[in-house]
Amino acid sequence: MSNDVPTELKYTRSHEWVRVDDEGIATIGITDHAQELLGDLVFVELPEVGAELGAGAECAVVESVKAASDVYSPVTGEVLEVNEVLADAPETINQDAYEDGWIFRVRLADPSEVEALLDADAYAEHAESEEH
C-alpha cells in the first residue's frame, strides 16, 4: 500500500477521501491506494451537477484496464461541481489522486457526517488490513 495518506483528509472504508473547506464545501475523490489497486484509469463517469446525494449513495464510476468500480458519496449534499478534466484525462486520478484528481464537490447538508469518517491513521490501518 502507498504510504501517501494525507492527515488533513477524512476517509471511507470504500476508499473515498473528503476535504472540507471553510465554506462547508466537500471535495471528494478516491484514495491513492484505490487508484493503485485499480491500475490505469481509462474512464470516469461523473455525477450530475445539482444531484442530491445521500451518504453512501453510488454517484460515480471509475473504470480501469482491470475493472470498473463504483464511487460512493461519503456525505449527504448537493453536487455543486464535477472535475471536467477527468472526461478527457481520467489518468489524472492516477497521477494526483488527492489534488488534481478530485471527482466532485458537494455542499454539505450535515457537516457532522464528516466527523464520523475515518481519520488518516484509521484509514491506513483499514487499507492495510484488506491486503492480508
Side-chain angles (χ1 to χ4, degrees):
M1 184 186 109
S2 168
N3 292 324
D4 186 15
V5 182
T7 58
E8 72 277 16
L9 305 179
K10 291 290 200 166
Y11 302 89
T12 67
R13 292 185 178 279
S14 53
H15 306 288
E16 290 85 11
W17 58 262
V18 179
R19 176 185 300 115
V20 179
D21 68 17
D22 294 339
E23 298 174 6
I25 308 300
T27 301
I28 296 160
I30 64 169
T31 65
D32 194 52
H33 176 67
Q35 70 80 22
E36 278 187 14
L37 292 175
L38 286 165
D40 294 336
L41 295 179
V42 295
F43 179 74
V44 179
E45 180 182 315
L46 299 166
E48 286 188 35
V49 172
E52 296 284 342
L53 302 175
E58 294 178 16
C59 58
V61 176
V62 289
E63 188 174 322
S64 72
V65 294
K66 294 181 186 174
S69 182
D70 292 325
V71 177
Y72 301 93
S73 180
V75 293
T76 301
E78 176 188 359
V79 177
L80 298 177
E81 183 180 4
V82 297
N83 189 351
E84 299 286 353
V85 168
L86 300 178
D88 293 327
E91 68 275 10
T92 304
I93 293 173
N94 295 118
Q95 297 161 353
D96 191 0
Y98 296 115
E99 294 295 336
D100 293 341
W102 64 276
I103 297 175
F104 61 102
R105 292 191 166 117
V106 171
R107 181 181 314 283
L108 292 171
D110 181 1
S112 70
E113 289 178 340
V114 176
E115 295 308 312
L117 298 173
L118 301 174
D119 64 18
D121 289 341
Y123 175 73
E125 187 175 308
H126 166 69
E128 186 75 26
S129 72
E130 284 191 329
E131 294 180 356
H132 300 289

